[in-house]
Amino acid sequence: MSQFLKPADGGRRDILITSALPYANGPIHIGHLVEYIQTDIFARFQKMRGHNCWYVCADDAHGTPIMLKARAEGISPEQLIARVADEHIADFADFRISFDQYHSTHSDENRHFATLIYQRNRDQGHIAKRTIAQAYDPVEQMFLPDRFIKGECPKCGAPDQYGDNCEACGASYSPSELKNPRSVISGCVPEQRESDHYFFKLDDFQAMLKEWTRGGGLQAQVANKLDEWFEAGLQEWDISRDAPYFGFEIPDHPGKFFYVWLDAPIGYMASFQHLCDSPEGQRAGLDFDRFWSAGSRAELYHFIGKDIIYFHALFWPAMLHGAGFRTPSAVFAHGFLTVDGQKMSKSRGTFIKARTYLDHLDPEYLRYYFAAKLGPGVDDIDLSLDDFQARVNADLVGKVVNIASRCAGFITKRFGGRLAAELPEPALFAEFVSASESIASAYEQRAYSRAVREIMALADRANQYIDEQAPWVVAKQQGEDAKLQAICTQGLNLFRLLIGWLRPILPGTAEAAEQFLRLSPLTWGVLAEPLLDHEIAKFQPLMTRVDAKRIAAMLEASKQDLSVAEATQIGLEESAAATTHLLKDPIAEEIDFDTFAKVDLRIARITKAAPVPGADKLLQLELDLGGETRNVFAGVSKAYDPADLAGRLTVMVANLAPRTMRFGVSEGMLLAAGPGGKELYILSPDHGAEPGMRIK
C-alpha cells in the first residue's frame, strides 16, 4: 500500500499521477524519457494491482520562446504547438507511455482553472500589485521574460544563468537581481523600464508550507533543500508578463498575461478535467472534485525533475491551498541523465532524440535499463552504452526470454501446445510466488532497481531449474513424455511469473508473451495461480539481442541531426593539422577551402578555470557551448590567472577529436594568439555573441 494514503477498508485506491509537462517548442529526448518511463512504470504497476489509477499529462504550450520560434518559422504559435504536440504524442506512444489523457495548457480547461485559481487567491488578498523596473530589449522593442535574460546568479555567482532561477545552486530570483545581464534575443544590454506587475504573496503560506514539506510527501533531500529557502525567506512571485506574450490574458488586467509557470502546473488539473469530460471518463464515472477538492482522500502524485522543485514544492501547493483545492500527496523528484559518464553531448552523438532512438533500437531496451538504474532518490543516473548492451542481452534475452524459448518448442511439438495438468515442483512455484509482495513493495516505493534485482535473481533460479532438469535430454528418453511435459510446464509457469512482474517495465514484451501464452492482460492477483492444462500458441521470439552496430548507427544519426558540418567526423591528426595552420606564426602554407570548412569554430563561455597539478603551462577549463559543456586543457597558465577567466567568452575548435592526456581528456582546442608565455592572448568575440554560435 502507499506510504502516504491508505483506504480505510484496504480496498481500491483512487490515484492520480502526473509527469512534468514537456515544453512545446522542441522534441523529446532520452533525458526527458527518464521521467516519463519512471512515471509510466508506477502507473502501470498501480493498475496491475487493481487500483483506480489515472495518468495524465499535457504539453506546456505558452511563453515567449514559443512565440518567437513561431515567428521565426513564419507560422502562428497555435500552428507550432499543434505540430509539436503531434510529434510528442507519437514519441510517447512508441515508447509505450500509457497516458490516460494527454492535453495542452493552451486549452479552455486550463484557461478556466488558471483564472479561477488567480481570482480566488486575489480575493483572499494573496495577490499584490507593484510597479517594477523591468528589463526591456530596445532592439526588439519588448519586455524580456526571465528565460530571455542571462547573466550571473545573484546568489552563487554562477555565470550564464537565466533570469528566473539558477541551474547551479537552484536559487529562485527576479531578473532585476541578475548580475551583468544581457538579452538572449538581440545580445544587447537590457534597459530598465517601469511596468505594473502582479505578485503572488508566497510568504502568506509559510506556516502551511513548512508543515506540508515535512509531512512525508517529499524525499528527505528535497525537504532539506526547501529548509534552506525557508531560512532565506520566501519571496513574492511575479505571476504576470507584458505583451507581446503567448498565453492567457489576466482577466482584469488588459495587456497583462499569466506567466507560463502559473498555468503550467494547472495543466495537470486541466488535463484531468478533459479526461473526466471524455467518453472514457464518463464511462468510468470520473469526478473531478473527488480528486481535487480540499480534503480529498484520493492520492495525487507528481513526478518531476529536480530542477523544478521550487515551483512544485512551494508555489504549486501554496496556489492550490489559497484557492481552496487540495495539495499533492507527494512530489517525487528524480535526477538528470548522463551518457557514458558525461553530460549529453551533441558533438559526441549522445544527445539522442526519442525518435532517433526509436529509428534504431527497441524502446523496451531503454525502459528496462532505466528501471534497472532508478531508485526512489534524486541521484543522477548514467546510461553506459556498453553496460546497456550487456545488461539487456544478459538479463532480458539471456535469462527471461530464454526460459520460454527453452521450454515452448517441446510443448508445441510433442503435446499439441497443451501444458500439463499439474506442476512437478509446486514448492518451487510457491517459492517464486512468495517474492511477489517484496517486488510489489519495491515498485510502490519507486525502488525499481531493487525490483529488477529480485526478479533477475529469480530468473537465474528458473534457468538453474531448467539446466538441472535438462528437458532436451529427457526428450530423447523412451517413456518420459509426461516428465518432459511437466518440466516444460514448470518452466513456462516460472516464465509467466517473471514476465508478469516485469509487465510495468516491459509492456510490449509482456503483451507478446500474453499472446504466446494465450492469456488476458496479466494482473498482479492472477499470478499466484499456476497455468495448467492450458493450450499455448507457437513460440515466436519475444526480443532480439542489442546489436552494437545499431547503437553506433544511432549515435551517428544523432550527430547528423544537428547539421552536415557538425556530423563530419574529423580525425585527430587532420583536425589538429588544420587548426595549426590557422594559428602558426608566420603564416603557414596555404590550405584549400574544403580543409578549412572542416574546422568548426564556436563561441564558448569559460565557466570554470583551474591550474593543472604537475603541468607547467596548462589550465583546465570548463567551456559552455550553449547547453553543452566541454573539458579543455589550454596552455595559457603563464598569461592568465584562472580567477580572471571565469565568465569570459572565447573561441574554440569544437569538432577536434578528444585527445587523451595524462591529466585527462581534452575535448576541443582554445584559440589564442601571440609568441607564448606571458604574451599569449585568448581570442574573444564582440559583445552580444552567445555560447554555441558558430564562427561564419
Side-chain angles (χ1 to χ4, degrees), residues 63 96 115 149 187 203 225 250 292 462 490 507-508 510 523 563 626 629 647 652:
R96 294 159 191 158
T115 300
I149 310 169
D203 192 53
K225 182 65 179 178
I250 301 176
W292 285 100
Q490 181 90 31
T523 64
S563 69
T629 301
M652 72 171 294

Side-chain angles (χ1 to χ4, degrees), residues 150-162 165-171 173 178-180 182 605-608 622 646-647:
K150 280 191 170 183
E152 298 170 13
C153 172
K155 308 294 184 182
C156 72
D160 210 36
Q161 297 302 312
Y162 289 109
N165 71 294
C166 177
E167 295 177 347
C169 72
Y173 43 76
L178 206 63
K179 298 178 182 177
N180 300 317
R182 63 191 184 284
R605 185 178 299 280
I606 303 171
T607 55
K608 293 181 183 177
E622 181 179 281

Side-chain angles (χ1 to χ4, degrees), residues 444-465:
E444 185 72 51
Q445 296 169 31
R446 306 172 328 284
Y448 303 155
S449 59
R450 177 164 69 84
V452 166
R453 287 195 301 273
E454 292 187 25
I455 295 168
M456 287 305 143
L458 290 167
D460 286 334
R461 179 71 182 88
N463 278 291
Q464 180 186 355
Y465 167 79

Side-chain angles (χ1 to χ4, degrees), residues 213-387:
T213 57
R214 285 297 178 182
L218 299 175
Q219 295 126 307
Q221 306 100 306
V222 173
N224 292 337
K225 182 65 179 178
L226 292 176
D227 282 346
E228 297 177 16
W229 287 326
F230 284 125
E231 291 171 7
L234 300 180
Q235 304 299 311
E236 290 186 348
W237 179 38
D238 189 346
I239 60 169
S240 60
R241 293 297 181 269
D242 291 281
Y245 194 79
F246 182 58
F248 295 140
E249 193 169 37
I250 301 176
D252 49 356
H253 304 294
K256 303 292 180 181
F257 292 78
F258 288 127
Y259 175 38
V260 62
W261 260 112
L262 181 134
D263 69 51
I266 294 172
Y268 304 141
M269 305 173 79
S271 185
F272 187 66
Q273 180 68 71
H274 195 74
L275 176 62
C276 291
D277 294 338
S278 71
E280 181 186 4
Q282 293 289 310
R283 285 192 300 271
L286 278 183
D287 177 60
F288 181 88
D289 289 339
R290 192 168 91 237
F291 286 81
W292 285 100
S293 65
S296 168
R297 292 292 298 168
E299 300 168 54
L300 172 61
Y301 300 129
H302 299 309
F303 286 75
I304 64 166
K306 64 183 180 181
D307 55 328
I308 53 175
I309 287 170
Y310 199 95
F311 295 101
H312 279 79
L314 292 178
F315 293 131
W316 178 230
M319 286 165 50
L320 289 169
H321 185 75
F325 290 106
R326 56 90 47 83
T327 53
S329 307
V331 175
F332 302 131
H334 62 81
F336 300 136
L337 177 71
T338 58
V339 180
D340 285 336
Q342 301 182 65
K343 190 175 181 179
M344 290 192 301
S345 163
K346 293 181 179 179
S347 65
R348 290 190 295 272
T350 57
F351 192 94
I352 303 165
K353 296 177 184 176
R355 185 52 51 183
T356 307
Y357 176 98
L358 290 164
D359 287 342
H360 296 87
L361 295 169
D362 187 334
E364 305 268 292
Y365 298 159
L366 194 66
R367 289 180 66 102
Y368 177 75
Y369 192 79
F370 282 171
K373 291 274 189 171
L374 280 165
V378 295
D379 298 330
D380 296 346
I381 67 170
D382 183 57
L383 169 58
S384 165
L385 292 171
D386 288 341
D387 183 50

